[in-house]
Amino acid sequence: MKLKLVSILLAFCTTAGSMTMPAFAERTQAAQIESESNMTAQENGSVKEQEWEGYTYKELTDNTLEITGYKGTDTALTIPDKIEDKPVTGIGRGAFAGLEKVESITIPEGITNIGSSAFQRCGSLKNIVIPEGVTVIDEYIFAYSAKLESVTLPESVTTIKEGAFGECRSLKSIAIPKNVDSIPDYAFTYCESLAQVRFPEGLTYIGENAFSGCKSLQNVEFPNSLKDIDYFAFQNCTTLSNVTFPENLENIGRDAFLGCESLQNVEFHEGLIRIGEGAFRSCSKLESLTLPLSLTEIWKGAFTDCNSLKTVNYAGSKTDRSNMRIVGEGNAPLLQSKITYGSTGKSEDFAPKKGSQLKDNGVTYQVKTDVSELAFVKTIDKASKIKISDSVKIDGICYTVASITKMHF
């Protein structure tokens, strides 16, 4: 029933990039149901759960122990490192989830495994240190812990999983350990107080919605190793004003920086291949853009509602730009800007203005008010039936043929 309710909520949230929160809620709900199912299966199995000073635990096959829960009333918890002379090495899935009154949890050295959702919805938890030896920060491990301000991750961590810190709305900073090579989907979504992120050299991928809604994030410096920024990764980071893009970056995904309304200047380096659909949509203060010669694709709506965009600096020549594939639809601000070619220093309009006539394969078109659209004017074709294409690529720009004015045969 809960999943059905979340699905209904998701259906109503269809505005720009607003799928993030309901989608995240749906995923965490599914994970919780799976966790409860697994716990029920364990209870019905041969592994017997025991209790010690309020902690529940079970013995693992290697004769070590895993903490599975807490039934006491203390608000400051110190997880034992041993119980009856047997070492505690793990914290089970969902072990402390939903303990709203617990303010602090001390995890001892020797813990090497912490299960998914282990500290999810710990509403009063403020600080936590993960001990050296833990290699995986599992999915949704701290999700919805609304007062969590700081988390210290050890250098032994190599993997962070989906939604690990999602909606930790008080988290202020995070240092990603040096051996982590990817940030997964929803990892820090709606961490509204997150102001500082330290990315390690070696990071290659930032996932879908990884930092969406992090409205306190003002400056981001990516490592040179980064190659791919996925869908919605930084959408609605409304105070993000300074982004240092690395030299090896190849792809900006769909709506990656949607609604980053404080972003003013974007400079890409050689190596970038693709700017995805809606990538910088509604970046209303974006004024200038630097594009490398390596860029081959700008997808539709990449610069929709970037109405302050006036200047584009392009590393190549006009011929080089004509070899790109630029989808005009939704990119009127880009097409109406001034472009300066690095090869010559010459500046001109990025694309022809309203009323200009363009020719392609014997067909004449006229640029409409929306400069990404053309009107068919005439053709030199003398055939009795003329097929008019719904789109045409001229000088690298893919225009929509939206209407017909008059035809001369």
Side-chain angles (χ1 to χ4, degrees), residues 47 181 289:
V47 179
D181 63 8
L289 183 63

Side-chain angles (χ1 to χ4, degrees), residues 102-107 119 122-131 137 141-143 145-154 164-165 167-176 188 191-197:
V102 171
E103 297 177 0
S104 69
I105 300 176
T106 302
I107 305 174
F119 306 101
C122 287
S124 299
L125 185 64
K126 292 183 178 180
N127 307 285
I128 197 162
V129 177
I130 305 298
I137 302 300
I141 188 169
F142 294 105
S145 294
K147 292 185 179 179
L148 185 64
E149 295 180 0
S150 72
V151 176
T152 302
L153 301 179
F165 301 92
E167 298 209 35
C168 290
R169 294 177 180 267
S170 299
L171 186 65
K172 296 179 179 179
S173 66
I174 194 75
I176 309 298
F188 297 91
C191 290
E192 294 182 336
S193 300
L194 189 64
Q196 184 177 1
V197 180

Side-chain angles (χ1 to χ4, degrees), residues 162-221:
E162 179 176 304
F165 301 92
E167 298 209 35
C168 290
R169 294 177 180 267
S170 299
L171 186 65
K172 296 179 179 179
S173 66
I174 194 75
I176 309 298
K178 64 182 180 181
N179 293 315
V180 173
D181 63 8
S182 65
I183 307 294
D185 298 352
Y186 298 94
F188 297 91
T189 188
Y190 281 87
C191 290
E192 294 182 336
S193 300
L194 189 64
Q196 184 177 1
V197 180
R198 191 185 73 194
F199 296 105
E201 192 61 46
L203 185 75
T204 61
Y205 172 77
I206 296 177
E208 178 182 340
N209 280 296
F211 294 92
S212 58
C214 293
K215 64 181 183 180
S216 297
L217 196 59
Q218 297 182 25
N219 302 288
V220 172
E221 183 173 352

